[in-house]
Amino acid sequence: MIGRLRGAVAEIGEEEALIDVMGVGYVVRCGARTLQRLPALGEEALLHIESQWSESAGLRLYGFGTREDRKAFVLLQAIQGVGPKAAMAVLDVLSPAELASAVAREDKAAVGRASGVGPKLALRIVTELKDKPITDGPVFLGAPATAAAAATPAKAAPTGDAVAALMGLGVAEVNARRVVEAAAAKLGDEATVQQLIKAGLQELGR
């Protein structure tokens, strides 16, 4: 099975990227956050790969920017009811460190922000990942009481509102997240919802 790919970025789609490795193009399914962080077309990318095989779909490659992302993806799929799509959705809204923190404080609402993850599934994820080594670093149980953790939801709110607004305009969620995250990276932490929406629409050519 393929565990890692290093090659030139040939194409970037809505849910996948084409990585050219010595003339062979590998189709790699990626979350919106990973796709947004890929280098420009033609530049070299390194993706950590989780290979999966099924009789109906054949071989599928799922790509991640870090080993911890891939590890969290595998742990999430070990939970009943969590398939590749749901696992990707969770990692689009929570990094592995943020997921570990949410699990440690039993914050099912944070996990439930992921597309397609309802309250029951979010609760199951938080319950079954308890005491699982999601990250290699320490997890702080008191994170909600700290200033840094308290700032996380506030920082993420404009981005989430902008994504919701674009979806209300008929933009697919994966595209909305991609352009909003790209806009947030360019405009910085102080960007308003209106600025993110405007930048996102410009990116989409609207």
Side-chain angles (χ1 to χ4, degrees):
M1 289 293 187
I2 298 171
R4 188 176 71 172
L5 284 177
R6 184 193 298 272
V9 179
E11 297 178 15
I12 299 178
E14 294 185 357
E15 298 180 349
E16 60 193 28
L18 181 65
I19 307 299
D20 187 328
V21 182
M22 299 180 67
V24 178
Y26 292 86
V27 177
V28 184
R29 290 176 175 260
C30 302
R33 182 176 294 181
T34 301
L35 289 172
Q36 191 270 325
R37 294 177 178 175
L38 284 175
L41 296 181
E43 294 185 5
E44 185 178 79
L46 173 63
L47 288 174
H48 298 273
I49 303 296
E50 175 63 20
S51 301
Q52 295 187 358
W53 170 268
S54 68
E55 291 187 3
S56 59
L59 178 64
R60 284 189 173 179
L61 307 180
Y62 296 90
F64 307 91
T66 69
R67 290 186 181 88
E68 284 194 337
D69 284 329
R70 177 188 175 190
K71 179 180 179 181
F73 178 74
V74 173
L75 287 174
L76 283 164
Q77 284 195 90
I79 300 170
Q80 182 181 0
V82 181
K85 187 173 182 178
M88 286 283 196
V90 171
L91 294 175
D92 272 344
V93 298
L94 296 171
S95 69
E98 290 167 340
L99 176 60
S101 179
V103 168
R105 62 180 188 268
E106 300 181 353
D107 187 357
K108 61 180 183 294
V111 178
R113 291 193 293 117
S115 175
V117 177
K120 290 184 179 179
L121 185 55
L123 176 60
R124 186 181 303 156
I125 290 172
V126 167
T127 302
E128 295 196 22
L129 287 184
K130 196 77 171 176
D131 300 322
K132 295 287 180 65
I134 300 173
T135 67
D136 297 327
V139 177
F140 300 101
L141 294 176
T146 67
T152 300
K155 181 178 177 181
T159 304
D161 289 344
V163 170
L166 290 178
M167 289 174 64
L169 294 174
V171 179
E173 182 179 359
V174 65
N175 288 334
R177 290 188 182 280
R178 176 174 58 81
V179 297
V180 168
E181 289 187 3
K186 292 179 181 178
L187 298 175
D189 297 340
E190 302 302 319
T192 65
V193 175
Q194 291 76 14
Q195 288 173 327
L196 292 173
I197 294 172
K198 182 179 179 180
L201 290 172
Q202 289 176 342
E203 180 69 20
L204 291 166
R206 296 193 179 190

